[in-house]
């Protein structure tokens, strides 16, 4: 039994939720609006600013969809009311990031600069403070999109375990390895 799917979603003040005939859910809030197509088998109901999802049977497929759509809709409600933020830091000598509009320019140890075009839904800022690692801040209302873009940026220079150089999330723990001299 899906425990995630059974818990109701409370709609905060200022968030409206519209359910169309074909189970297309539109969530509107102060930061924007998001849409999600929900499988017709899952029944949606809104009562007293609380959204509940009900599955028709106890089959494995319906249980999986029940938890999935509840999590997706909860992420949409949180996104349009508060938004999501991901911070990446560049660790390495000479690594830097410059944001110009929706284009991010990265110098991460290659012979050339890398230009990353970002979707319009994502706001990016790059900050370099003397004595600290450069940080990239991504902000969006769409949790799936911001996670995918952050993972793409991170994959451009993955963290190596010997010196810890590369692009990582702020606060991420990197498991370090001892070098060749430790074996002697």
């Amino acid at each position: 039994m899906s425990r995630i799917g059974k818990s109701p979603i409370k709609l905060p003040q200022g968030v409206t939720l519209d359910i169309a005939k074909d189970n297309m859910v539109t969530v509107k809030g102060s930061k924007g609006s998001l849409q999600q197509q929900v499988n017709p088998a899952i029944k949606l109901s809104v009562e007293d600013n609380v959204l509940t999802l009900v599955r028709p049977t106890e089959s494995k497929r319906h249980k999986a969809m029940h938890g999935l759509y509840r999590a997706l809709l909860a992420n949409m409600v949180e996104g349009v009311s508060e938004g999501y933020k991901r911070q990446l830091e560049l660790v390495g000598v000479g690594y830097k990031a410059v944001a110009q509009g929706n284009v991010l320019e990265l110098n991460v140890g290659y012979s050339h600069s890398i230009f990353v075009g970002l979707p319009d839904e994502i706001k990016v800022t790059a900050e370099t403070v003397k004595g600290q690692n450069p940080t990239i801040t991504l902000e969006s209302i769409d949790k799936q999109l911001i996670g995918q873009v952050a993972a793409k940026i991170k994959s451009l220079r993955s963290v190596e375990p010997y010196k810890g150089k590369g692009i990582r999330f702020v606060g991420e723990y990197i498991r370090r390895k001892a070098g060749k001299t430790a074996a002697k």
Side-chain angles (χ1 to χ4, degrees), residues 121-183:
E121 296 89 7
I122 292 183
K123 289 185 221 137
V124 62
T125 56
E127 183 180 29
T128 305
V129 178
K130 189 170 182 169
Q132 294 180 353
N133 295 324
T135 57
I136 302 166
T137 305
L138 303 171
E139 293 183 52
S140 178
I141 59 172
D142 192 343
K143 188 174 187 179
Q144 291 177 350
L145 182 65
I146 197 171
Q148 185 177 1
V149 169
K152 178 67 177 167
I153 292 171
K154 191 176 170 202
S155 72
L156 296 173
R157 178 60 101 176
S158 56
V159 179
E160 53 93 20
Y162 297 102
K163 291 185 178 177
K165 290 167 41 171
I167 302 174
R168 65 174 84 169
F169 291 112
V170 171
E172 180 182 3
Y173 173 73
I174 304 298
R175 206 165 142 248
R176 303 289 297 269
K177 289 183 176 179
K180 288 191 283 186
T181 55

Side-chain angles (χ1 to χ4, degrees), residues 3-91:
R3 294 188 196 103
I4 294 171
K6 285 181 12 179
S7 59
I9 302 168
K10 189 172 185 325
L11 300 177
Q13 190 77 28
V15 174
T16 59
L17 189 128
D18 299 322
I19 304 168
K21 294 266 189 232
D22 59 343
N23 262 13
M24 177 65 85
V25 177
T26 305
V27 181
K28 293 179 184 166
S30 60
K31 296 208 175 245
S33 68
L34 292 170
Q35 287 187 324
Q36 174 68 44
Q37 179 70 45
V38 177
N39 191 298
I42 304 295
K43 302 292 177 232
L44 305 164
S45 64
V46 180
E47 296 167 7
D48 300 329
N49 277 346
V50 175
L51 172 67
T52 54
L53 286 80
V54 180
R55 62 176 176 253
T57 66
E58 293 295 315
S59 70
K60 190 171 185 176
R61 184 170 181 271
H62 286 152
K63 286 181 182 181
M65 285 193 303
H66 192 210
L68 168 75
Y69 287 121
R70 192 264 175 211
L72 290 176
L73 293 175
N75 290 341
M76 289 168 58
V77 169
E78 186 180 339
V80 297
S81 60
E82 299 168 23
Y84 290 101
K85 186 175 175 180
R86 293 281 182 272
Q87 285 190 311
L88 297 140
E89 66 177 337
L90 285 65
V91 180

Side-chain angles (χ1 to χ4, degrees), residues 1-2 176:
M1 194 177 236
S2 172
R176 303 289 297 269

